[in-house]
Amino acid sequence: MEALSRNFFLYLSKNKSLNKMAKRYGLKFGASKVVGGIDFDRTVSVIKNLNNRGLCTTVDHLGEFVNSVDETRERTAQEIHTIQTIAKEKLDAQTSVKLTSLGLDIDHHLVFENMRNILTEAQKHGVFVTIDMEDEVRCQGTLDIFKGLKTEFDNVGTVIQSYLYRSRDDINDLKKLLPNLRLVKGAYKESADVAYPDKKDVDDNLKQMIKDHLTNGNYTAVASHDDQIINFTKQFAEENNISRDLFEFQMLYGMRTQTQLDLVKQGYKMRVYVPYGNDWYGYFMRRLAERPANVAFVAKGMFRS
């Protein structure tokens, strides 16, 4: 049943007609519970509230698969505005970007130029930028661009997904760059040719990735709502005398809020992933696909005043 639910919402996430309708109606149907606002200026108050509770953040301007050069330039300018606002408002925030919104599917030179402009501005203001990982067909292209940028900028990281067979090899390949990596399970529908079909294998691979990356001595963001993964990370770090300064936990805005606050009380760094923008539909559907509990959470929000 869980697999059917996941496949259903992943199927819906790619429906262009529903995505168009979602933009028209704004943050309806429970999306406001997991999306900070329709633009960054209206998301600032959400971030300040999280910061005041001891939670740091990373923000993501929702939208992907851009096919217009002009639109990639517009998205770049919006990202720079976000970075400038983070600095102006003194927010405890980083940013996350999807390369398909900056031209990955158009031209690698274009996306590299857009990222250089973003990272230059971010470096000026001391803001860290994470390149989000998308589906498997774009994985190698994303890593190639990350490697190129990492030779020039220290304020950039990326994401490795444990449901892909290749991921431990990718961590090993990247370790010479001393990368800051966000480690996740992954939220796209992939073929069994490239990804583990069974949840246990995905979980086991994530644990191995956490061990690999922490053992390499590189900064690790463990992005999971799974108590098993969180407890594994705590125990591994304690048993191997790994400083809490070398890792953090990350969770999605609106999900497991009490657990987030509990981790802060326990002395761990806890970063909340706060998406914003009117192109929220695909993101929202993938969140519903990840965990059946998310569907019940959103259903309650829809009917609560």
Side-chain angles (χ1 to χ4, degrees):
M1 188 67 186
E2 184 173 336
L4 286 174
S5 173
R6 173 180 169 81
N7 290 336
F8 174 68
F9 284 110
L10 288 176
Y11 170 77
L12 290 181
S13 73
K14 298 178 180 179
N15 188 298
K16 294 181 179 179
S17 296
L18 290 175
N19 187 39
K20 186 176 180 180
M21 185 186 305
K23 287 182 181 180
R24 185 183 312 146
Y25 285 100
L27 296 178
K28 302 288 179 80
F29 313 116
S32 62
K33 301 293 181 181
V34 294
V35 177
I38 61 171
D39 57 39
F40 188 68
D41 290 342
R42 276 177 269 199
T43 306
V44 168
S45 61
V46 170
I47 296 168
K48 286 184 175 180
N49 181 53
L50 292 169
N51 289 169
N52 289 338
R53 302 174 82 183
L55 299 159
C56 48
T57 64
T58 185
V59 298
D60 175 24
H61 186 183
L62 294 172
E64 50 202 277
F65 310 125
V66 170
N67 295 307
S68 158
V69 173
D70 288 342
E71 191 173 351
T72 72
R73 303 292 192 201
E74 182 181 336
R75 293 302 293 262
T76 299
Q78 291 169 341
E79 186 66 25
I80 288 172
H81 169 74
T82 293
I83 290 164
Q84 292 169 340
T85 304
I86 288 172
K88 177 183 176 183
E89 298 288 342
K90 296 180 172 55
L91 304 176
D92 188 348
Q94 301 177 353
T95 70
S96 296
V97 297
K98 286 185 172 59
L99 293 187
T100 53
S101 73
L102 301 172
L104 182 64
D105 292 347
I106 302 172
D107 179 74
H108 277 215
H109 294 292
L110 172 66
V111 72
F112 199 86
E113 179 188 346
N114 286 336
M115 276 302 303
R116 284 189 80 256
N117 290 336
I118 289 168
L119 288 170
T120 299
E121 189 68 22
Q123 192 173 61
K124 185 193 307 182
H125 296 291
V127 175
F128 191 84
V129 179
T130 297
I131 298 172
D132 277 338
M133 188 58 70
E134 301 177 68
D135 51 0
E136 190 275 337
V137 296
R138 295 173 175 86
C139 180
Q140 189 60 53
T142 299
L143 292 179
D144 289 343
I145 289 168
F146 169 67
K147 289 177 187 177
L149 292 166
K150 192 69 173 66
T151 63
E152 189 176 350
F153 297 94
D154 290 329
N155 61 323
V156 62
T158 192
V159 179
I160 303 293
Q161 303 172 114
S162 72
Y163 70 168
L164 297 180
Y165 301 138
R166 61 176 289 169
S167 293
R168 289 188 70 193
D169 290 335
D170 287 333
I171 288 176
N172 186 58
D173 179 58
L174 292 171
K175 69 179 181 181
K176 59 184 175 293
L177 298 176
L178 308 180
N180 178 322
L181 297 178
R182 178 192 299 152
L183 305 182
V184 304
K185 293 183 183 182
Y188 292 86
K189 184 173 176 57
E190 304 286 4
S191 161
D193 292 337
V194 299
Y196 294 104
D198 295 330
K199 179 182 182 298
K200 183 181 184 305
D201 292 328
V202 176
D203 291 351
D204 289 346
N205 199 40
L206 180 55
K207 291 176 183 177
Q208 288 300 320
M209 287 163 49
I210 292 167
K211 287 172 63 175
D212 290 345
H213 199 51
L214 284 174
T215 301
N216 289 340
N218 295 322
Y219 195 85
T220 305
V222 178
S224 176
H225 299 113
D226 189 334
D227 287 330
Q228 177 193 173
I229 299 299
I230 294 167
N231 291 332
F232 169 83
T233 304
K234 290 179 180 179
Q235 184 175 346
F236 182 78
E238 185 173 342
E239 290 176 352
N240 292 275
N241 297 314
I242 294 171
S243 169
R244 293 186 183 185
D245 293 336
L246 195 60
F247 68 96
E248 66 183 50
F249 293 106
Q250 294 188 2
M251 294 186 192
L252 302 171
Y253 172 62
M255 302 286 181
R256 304 209 66 189
T257 303
Q258 188 57 53
T259 301
Q260 295 175 17
L261 294 172
D262 289 344
L263 285 167
V264 171
K265 289 178 184 177
Q266 293 164 19
Y268 293 99
K269 177 173 278 191
M270 176 64 234
R271 190 175 304 279
V272 183
Y273 185 98
V274 183
Y276 66 94
N278 69 343
D279 195 4
W280 55 267
Y281 174 78
Y283 169 85
F284 186 47
M285 289 298 111
R286 288 195 294 274
R287 298 296 76 77
L288 296 183
E290 284 176 348
R291 296 173 68 235
N294 291 348
V295 180
F297 168 82
V298 169
K300 288 179 183 177
M302 287 171 62
F303 298 104
R304 185 180 298 154
S305 59

